[in-house]
Coordinates of all heavy atoms in Angstrom, one line a residue:
P219 N -48.3 -34.6 27.9 CA -49.5 -35.3 28.5 C -49.2 -35.7 30.0 O -50.1 -35.8 30.8 CB -49.6 -36.6 27.6 CG -48.6 -36.5 26.6 CD -47.9 -35.2 26.7
I220 N -47.9 -36.0 30.3 CA -47.6 -36.3 31.7 C -47.9 -35.1 32.6 O -48.4 -35.2 33.7 CB -46.2 -36.8 31.8 CG1 -46.1 -38.2 31.2 CG2 -45.7 -36.9 33.3 CD1 -44.7 -38.8 31.1
V221 N -47.5 -33.9 32.1 CA -47.7 -32.7 32.8 C -49.2 -32.4 33.0 O -49.7 -32.0 34.1 CB -47.0 -31.5 32.1 CG1 -47.4 -30.2 32.7 CG2 -45.5 -31.7 32.1
M222 N -49.9 -32.7 31.9 CA -51.4 -32.5 32.0 C -52.0 -33.5 33.0 O -53.0 -33.1 33.7 CB -52.0 -32.7 30.6 CG -51.7 -31.6 29.6 SD -52.5 -30.1 30.1 CE -51.1 -29.0 30.3
E223 N -51.6 -34.7 33.0 CA -52.1 -35.7 33.9 C -51.8 -35.2 35.4 O -52.7 -35.4 36.2 CB -51.5 -37.1 33.7 CG -52.0 -37.7 32.4 CD -51.6 -39.2 32.2 OE1 -50.8 -39.7 33.1 OE2 -51.9 -39.8 31.2
A224 N -50.7 -34.7 35.6 CA -50.4 -34.1 36.9 C -51.3 -33.0 37.3 O -51.8 -32.9 38.4 CB -48.9 -33.7 37.0
A225 N -51.6 -32.1 36.3 CA -52.5 -31.0 36.5 C -53.9 -31.5 36.8 O -54.6 -30.8 37.6 CB -52.5 -30.1 35.3
C226 N -54.3 -32.6 36.3 CA -55.6 -33.2 36.5 C -55.7 -34.0 37.7 O -56.8 -34.6 38.0 CB -56.1 -34.0 35.3 SG -56.4 -33.1 33.8
G227 N -54.6 -34.2 38.4 CA -54.6 -35.1 39.6 C -54.6 -36.6 39.2 O -54.8 -37.5 40.1
M228 N -54.3 -36.9 38.0 CA -54.2 -38.3 37.5 C -52.9 -38.9 37.9 O -52.7 -40.1 37.9 CB -54.4 -38.4 36.0 CG -55.8 -38.0 35.5 SD -55.8 -37.6 33.8 CE -55.5 -39.2 33.0
R229 N -51.9 -38.1 38.3 CA -50.6 -38.6 38.8 C -50.1 -37.6 39.8 O -50.4 -36.4 39.7 CB -49.6 -38.9 37.7 CG -49.2 -37.8 36.9 CD -48.0 -38.1 36.0 NE -48.4 -38.9 34.9 CZ -47.7 -39.9 34.4 NH1 -46.5 -40.2 34.9 NH2 -48.1 -40.6 33.3
E230 N -49.2 -38.0 40.7 CA -48.7 -37.2 41.8 C -47.9 -36.0 41.3 O -48.1 -34.9 41.7 CB -47.7 -38.1 42.7 CG -48.4 -38.9 43.7 CD -48.9 -38.1 44.9 OE1 -48.0 -37.6 45.6 OE2 -50.1 -37.9 45.0
D231 N -46.9 -36.4 40.4 CA -45.9 -35.4 40.0 C -45.3 -35.7 38.7 O -45.7 -36.8 38.1 CB -44.8 -35.2 41.1 CG -44.2 -36.6 41.4 OD1 -44.3 -37.5 40.6 OD2 -43.5 -36.7 42.4
V232 N -44.4 -34.9 38.2 CA -43.7 -35.1 36.9 C -42.3 -35.4 37.2 O -41.7 -34.7 38.0 CB -43.8 -33.8 36.1 CG1 -43.1 -34.0 34.7 CG2 -45.3 -33.4 35.8
C233 N -41.7 -36.4 36.6 CA -40.3 -36.7 36.7 C -39.5 -35.9 35.8 O -39.7 -36.0 34.6 CB -40.2 -38.2 36.4 SG -39.1 -39.0 37.4
V234 N -38.5 -35.2 36.3 CA -37.6 -34.4 35.4 C -36.3 -35.2 35.4 O -35.6 -35.3 36.4 CB -37.4 -33.0 35.9 CG1 -36.4 -32.2 35.1 CG2 -38.8 -32.2 35.9
F235 N -35.9 -35.7 34.2 CA -34.7 -36.5 34.1 C -33.5 -35.7 33.9 O -33.0 -35.4 32.8 CB -34.9 -37.5 32.9 CG -36.0 -38.5 33.1 CD1 -37.2 -38.3 32.3 CD2 -36.0 -39.5 34.0 CE1 -38.3 -39.1 32.5 CE2 -37.1 -40.3 34.2 CZ -38.2 -40.2 33.4
G236 N -33.0 -35.2 35.0 CA -31.7 -34.4 35.0 C -32.0 -32.9 35.0 O -32.8 -32.5 34.2
D237 N -31.3 -32.2 35.8 CA -31.4 -30.7 35.8 C -30.0 -30.1 35.8 O -29.8 -28.9 36.2 CB -32.2 -30.2 37.0 CG -31.6 -30.4 38.3 OD1 -30.5 -31.1 38.4 OD2 -32.1 -29.9 39.3
D238 N -29.0 -30.9 35.3 CA -27.6 -30.4 35.2 C -27.1 -30.4 33.8 O -25.9 -30.6 33.6 CB -26.7 -31.2 36.2 CG -26.8 -32.7 36.0 OD1 -27.6 -33.1 35.1 OD2 -26.0 -33.4 36.6
Y239 N -28.0 -30.3 32.8 CA -27.5 -30.3 31.4 C -27.0 -28.9 31.1 O -27.3 -27.9 31.8 CB -28.7 -30.6 30.5 CG -29.0 -32.0 30.4 CD1 -30.2 -32.5 31.0 CD2 -28.3 -32.9 29.7 CE1 -30.6 -33.8 30.9 CE2 -28.6 -34.3 29.6 CZ -29.8 -34.7 30.2 OH -30.1 -36.0 30.2
D240 N -26.2 -28.8 30.0 CA -25.7 -27.5 29.6 C -26.8 -26.8 28.8 O -26.7 -26.6 27.6 CB -24.4 -27.8 28.8 CG -23.8 -26.5 28.4 OD1 -24.1 -25.4 29.0 OD2 -22.9 -26.5 27.4
T241 N -27.8 -26.4 29.5 CA -28.9 -25.6 28.9 C -29.2 -24.5 29.9 O -28.8 -24.5 31.1 CB -30.2 -26.5 28.8 OG1 -30.5 -27.0 30.1 CG2 -30.0 -27.6 27.8
P242 N -29.9 -23.4 29.5 CA -30.1 -22.3 30.4 C -30.7 -22.6 31.8 O -30.2 -22.1 32.8 CB -31.1 -21.4 29.6 CG -30.8 -21.7 28.2 CD -30.4 -23.2 28.2
D243 N -31.6 -23.6 31.9 CA -32.1 -23.9 33.3 C -31.7 -25.3 33.7 O -32.1 -25.8 34.7 CB -33.6 -23.7 33.4 CG -34.4 -24.7 32.4 OD1 -33.8 -25.7 32.0 OD2 -35.6 -24.4 32.1
G244 N -30.8 -25.9 32.9 CA -30.3 -27.3 33.3 C -31.2 -28.4 32.9 O -30.7 -29.6 32.9

Side-chain angles (χ1 to χ4, degrees):
I220 290 175
V221 171
M222 290 292 120
E223 288 188 1
C226 289
M228 293 160 71
R229 63 170 76 216
E230 277 286 289
D231 54 17
V232 178
C233 217
V234 175
F235 299 105
D237 65 352
D238 55 355
Y239 284 105
D240 184 17
T241 58
D243 63 21

